[in-house]
Amino acid sequence: MDAKVRSKINRIANEANAIARELDEIANGVGHEFKGIGSVKAASGLRRSAEKYRYVSYKLRRI
């Protein structure tokens, strides 16, 4: 694979990981700052989204 393409794929994978970390931080904040079923569901949804971004990053690195 061309080095430029590999570099671009790595940058995208790194950005996906950064987004996943931010979503995890937001989920933790929602879980600590707010109370109730709605906050639990919101935090859970954010964590699921973070997992999807991590999966995309994983798949990109395997190309």
Side-chain angles (χ1 to χ4, degrees):
M1 179 181 299
D2 183 69
K4 284 184 180 182
V5 174
R6 171 53 48 200
S7 176
K8 191 165 199 156
I9 289 171
N10 284 338
R11 281 195 307 267
I12 293 168
N14 288 338
E15 185 65 26
N17 272 333
I19 291 169
R21 281 191 303 274
E22 287 182 36
L23 287 171
D24 281 332
E25 287 178 24
I26 294 168
N28 288 336
V30 167
H32 288 97
E33 297 293 323
F34 300 98
K35 302 293 179 206
I37 295 171
S39 65
V40 172
K41 285 187 164 229
S44 176
L46 289 166
R47 287 189 184 97
R48 278 193 306 274
S49 294
E51 271 306 309
K52 290 176 184 178
Y53 275 97
R54 275 190 280 279
Y55 181 73
V56 167
S57 176
Y58 166 77
K59 285 296 202 178
L60 285 171
R61 291 181 193 282
R62 294 195 58 183
I63 293 177

